[in-house]
């Protein structure tokens, strides 16, 4: 008969529950070792309590139980001694092997890649928001309970960041609009949907989303008081160069509302033509020519018309990368344990849609 006992391959890990889910503690933390040594000493001592001048001596089993309980309290309350593995990469595997059982899910990848820290980086902010938007549109029902909780915790941090920094509120409004529309459809179809969790929890989450939408709607942009050089003081050729750097038509329109000079520059036909040529192929905009009253092509209207038919190019300061050699998904600046002779030749940037497609089976 085989021996049924602790797995001989590993002594096991220590796990601690946090607001972002369960985190694995580093086993070689000196602070944790010192704390464990102190708590282990309890089992080798005699605990004496005074109650009406009577002394009660606990046996060894009671001491061990008290030591274990104090260890749990130590890990729960002493946050300074907690040291977690913060690997911002995940091995993407779609089938079971002898070394790895099961397969990698979207929720697992969403939790492991630490998007809570990524939203604090301005280079990754738009990337994470776009990813959350795609999940809200089509993959919300595929998230596990822990991944759903993490999803809404990250969304809460995003909204609070926008409220404080007033950074790109239009992008968050689009995300919340798509998420609320999806939830309304799923909640109406109770019994037919596959949402994980109680229906009342999702109703509360929908009410929270509606509250966030109202807060963003009432958001007032702080007026910057600066006695130095302003945007209006720049020469026309510099203002024109700034507009030509934008890849989103709505950003051009928004900037054109600042001053009459910027509005004049934002209506330049050549500007919108360059924008159409950047996002769309020549065959695409040749099929949807929109002439103006003077007989010229209205490139501004063409841009928004083509946007409805074809996806526009996405630009991000930083994206996730996939290593074709190791099958690992990771943030490029954090790296991953690659075994290739030349890792840079194996890297492939991953768009938000590609991230979703990696976990479709």
């Amino acid at each position: 008969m085989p021996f049924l006992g602790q797995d001989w391959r590993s002594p096991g890990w220590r796990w601690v529950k946090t607001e972002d889910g369960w985190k694995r503690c580093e086993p070689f933390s000196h602070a944790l070792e010192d704390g464990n040594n102190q708590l282990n000493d309890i089992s080798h001592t005699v605990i004496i309590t005074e109650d009406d001048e009577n002394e009660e001596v606990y046996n060894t089993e009671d001491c061990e139980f008290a030591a274990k309980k104090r260890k749990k309290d130590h890990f729960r309350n002493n946050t300074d001694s907690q040291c977690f593995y913060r690997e911002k990469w995940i091995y993407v595997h779609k089938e079971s092997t002898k070394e790895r059982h099961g397969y990698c899910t979207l929720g697992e990848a969403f939790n492991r890649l630490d998007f809570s820290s990524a939203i604090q980086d301005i280079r990754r902010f738009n990337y994470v928001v776009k990813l959350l938007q795609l999940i809200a549109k089509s993959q919300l029902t595929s998230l596990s309970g822990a991944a759903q909780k993490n999803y809404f915790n990250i969304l809460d941090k995003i909204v609070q960041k926008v409220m404080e920094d007033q950074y790109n509120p239009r992008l968050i409004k689009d995300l919340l609009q798509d998420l609320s529309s999806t939830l309304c459809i799923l909640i109406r179809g109770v019994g037919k949907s596959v949402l994980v969790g109680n229906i009342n929890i999702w109703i509360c989450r929908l009410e929270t989303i509606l509250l966030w939408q109202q807060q963003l709607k009432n958001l007032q942009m702080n007026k910057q008081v600066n006695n130095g050089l302003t945007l209006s003081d720049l020469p026309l050729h510099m203002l024109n160069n700034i507009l030509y750097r934008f890849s989103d038509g709505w950003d051009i329109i928004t900037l054109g509302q600042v001053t009459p000079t910027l509005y004049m520059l934002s209506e330049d036909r050549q500007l919108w033509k360059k924008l159409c040529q950047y996002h769309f192929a020549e065959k695409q905009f040749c099929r949807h020519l929109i002439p103006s009253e003077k007989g010229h092509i209205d490139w501004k209207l063409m841009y928004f018309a083509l946007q409805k038919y074809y996806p526009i190019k996405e630009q991000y300061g930083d994206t996730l990368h996939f290593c074709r050699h190791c099958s690992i998904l990771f943030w490029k600046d954090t790296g991953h344990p690659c075994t290739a002779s030349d890792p840079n030749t194996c890297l492939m940037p991953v768009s938000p849609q590609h991230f979703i497609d990696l976990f479709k089976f």
Side-chain angles (χ1 to χ4, degrees):
M1 181 176 178
F3 174 72
L4 301 178
Q6 186 177 12
D7 191 350
W8 57 269
R9 294 170 296 181
S10 172
W13 301 100
R14 296 185 182 275
W15 294 83
V16 178
K17 190 174 183 180
T18 66
E19 62 177 4
D20 295 329
W22 286 91
K23 301 295 183 181
R24 190 171 65 193
C25 291
E26 184 178 6
F28 301 106
S29 174
H30 297 293
L32 291 179
E33 286 185 356
D34 296 339
N36 289 339
N37 293 335
Q38 294 176 2
L39 294 174
N40 287 332
D41 292 339
I42 299 176
S43 60
H44 302 288
T45 60
V46 178
I47 302 177
I48 301 177
T49 60
E50 297 182 0
D51 186 11
D52 296 333
E53 298 181 356
N54 294 328
E55 295 183 353
E56 181 179 357
V57 181
Y58 291 91
N59 56 27
T60 306
E61 293 181 358
D62 293 334
C63 292
E64 291 179 356
F65 175 79
K68 290 181 180 179
K69 186 176 186 304
R70 294 198 179 191
K71 282 182 181 180
K72 291 182 179 180
D73 296 338
H74 173 77
F75 285 114
R76 287 178 181 175
N77 301 326
N78 191 3
T79 56
D80 294 335
S81 64
Q82 293 181 6
C83 183
F84 307 116
Y85 281 108
R86 301 301 292 180
E87 302 147 340
K88 299 180 183 179
W89 55 266
I90 186 170
Y91 177 80
V92 181
H93 54 108
K94 297 186 178 182
E95 57 185 8
S96 298
T97 63
K98 292 183 179 180
E99 294 78 13
R100 297 178 181 272
H101 297 284
Y103 54 88
C104 182
T105 63
L106 175 62
E108 183 182 358
F110 187 77
N111 289 338
R112 285 281 301 276
L113 291 171
D114 193 21
F115 290 113
S116 296
S117 300
I119 61 174
Q120 304 303 327
D121 191 336
I122 193 171
R123 300 172 303 160
R124 301 174 180 172
F125 183 83
N126 291 359
Y127 183 88
V128 176
V129 172
K130 182 63 177 179
L131 179 57
L132 264 61
Q133 189 175 11
L134 291 176
I135 293 176
K137 287 181 178 180
S138 60
Q139 300 296 318
L140 192 62
T141 56
S142 66
L143 296 180
S144 63
Q148 289 174 3
K149 185 177 180 181
N150 193 15
Y151 180 95
F152 282 93
N153 285 338
I154 295 174
L155 186 58
D156 182 27
K157 293 178 181 178
I158 289 176
V159 174
Q160 299 306 320
K161 179 178 176 60
V162 173
M163 296 295 294
E164 295 174 2
D165 301 342
Q166 300 177 350
Y167 177 75
N168 209 343
R170 178 171 56 84
L171 188 63
I172 313 305
K173 290 178 181 178
D174 294 340
L175 166 60
L176 294 179
Q177 181 61 41
D178 292 336
L179 183 58
S180 61
S181 300
T182 302
L183 287 183
C184 287
I185 295 173
L186 294 175
I187 290 175
R188 289 195 192 104
V190 175
K192 299 179 181 180
S193 65
V194 289
L195 280 175
V196 177
N198 189 282
I199 186 63
N200 295 325
I201 296 177
W202 285 102
I203 293 176
C204 292
R205 287 172 176 171
L206 180 58
E207 292 175 351
T208 303
I209 293 171
L210 296 177
L211 177 61
W212 287 338
Q213 287 179 315
Q214 188 62 36
Q215 290 176 348
L216 291 174
K217 184 178 180 180
N218 299 331
L219 179 64
Q220 298 293 331
M221 306 299 289
N222 296 330
K223 186 176 181 181
Q224 299 293 333
V225 179
N226 191 351
N227 297 326
L229 189 67
T230 63
L231 186 65
S232 303
D233 298 327
L234 296 177
L236 289 179
H237 73 276
M238 293 184 67
L239 294 175
N240 200 40
N241 287 335
I242 292 174
L243 287 170
Y244 270 83
R245 297 296 186 274
F246 287 176
S247 61
D248 192 331
W250 285 109
D251 291 337
I252 295 176
I253 293 177
T254 303
L255 184 59
Q257 296 173 351
V258 176
T259 63
T261 302
L262 287 171
Y263 175 77
M264 177 191 66
L265 295 175
S266 66
E267 293 295 320
D268 182 23
R269 290 180 59 253
Q270 192 66 22
L271 171 65
W272 290 98
K273 180 180 180 180
K274 291 288 185 181
L275 196 62
C276 289
Q277 292 174 341
Y278 171 76
H279 286 288
F280 311 106
E282 185 176 355
K283 293 182 179 180
Q284 292 175 340
F285 59 75
C286 285
R287 298 174 185 173
H288 304 275
L289 292 177
I290 303 177
S292 62
E293 296 179 355
K294 298 180 180 180
H296 302 294
I297 298 176
D298 195 330
W299 293 104
K300 182 178 179 180
L301 290 179
M302 271 196 60
Y303 169 80
F304 291 103
L306 292 170
Q307 195 176 22
K308 298 178 181 179
Y309 296 101
Y310 310 104
I312 62 176
K313 290 183 180 179
E314 299 176 352
Q315 284 187 335
Y316 303 103
D318 190 16
T319 66
L320 288 170
H321 281 69
F322 182 75
C323 180
R324 292 186 293 268
H325 177 78
C326 305
S327 296
I328 287 180
L329 190 65
F330 65 101
W331 294 107
K332 188 175 182 180
D333 60 347
T334 58
H336 73 290
C338 188
T339 58
S341 57
D342 189 3
N344 292 329
T345 60
C346 305
L347 302 186
M348 177 180 64
V350 178
S351 66
Q353 184 59 54
H354 187 196
F355 178 90
I356 301 294
D357 295 337
L358 281 175
F359 302 97
K360 287 183 178 180
F361 306 111

